[in-house]
Amino acid sequence: APAVPGAGPAPAADKMVVEFEVVTPSGLSVTVDNGPPAFARLFQPGERQRVEADREVLLDLANAGAVRMAINGRQAKPLGKDGERQRARITRENVTAFLD
């Protein structure tokens, strides 16, 4: 089958894929598998980011209500309200607690 333009490479089957979309300005820092931050910056509305992890994804959100998230293609629950700072640790063991 032809590749879908802009779809990017498919993740390995054993990876945890977390996708973020920012709806109002927010600082977002993400660390994957105990490495250095994958990114840590101010995001503007409409910006998207995606990470793949083997074990865990650590999140630090300056405005939890501003960030929408999907994990392995499924919509995740909001991590907090507008203006609320939140930190979260998503692992293979607790991932279902974050899903809608």
Side-chain angles (χ1 to χ4, degrees):
V4 177
D14 58 346
K15 296 275 188 184
M16 190 169 46
V17 178
V18 183
E19 298 170 278
F20 307 92
E21 179 182 7
V22 176
V23 295
T24 59
S26 179
L28 176 59
S29 175
V30 176
T31 302
V32 177
D33 295 333
N34 295 320
F39 53 87
R41 66 180 183 87
L42 178 64
F43 282 77
Q44 297 301 319
E47 285 191 85
R48 296 173 183 257
Q49 190 72 47
R50 167 186 158 140
V51 295
E52 294 181 16
D54 291 317
R55 297 178 308 280
E56 70 179 8
V57 176
L58 302 175
L59 309 173
D60 187 352
L61 302 113
N63 180 1
V67 180
R68 305 287 178 261
M69 201 170 55
I71 305 170
N72 296 334
R74 292 181 56 194
Q75 188 63 42
K77 297 174 186 173
L79 291 177
K81 299 176 183 170
D82 283 336
E84 186 176 61
R85 180 174 199 132
Q86 284 290 344
R87 291 184 177 170
R89 180 175 178 256
I90 304 169
T91 67
R92 294 183 172 286
E93 292 75 28
N94 72 5
V95 69
T96 56
F98 289 91
L99 298 174
D100 251 349

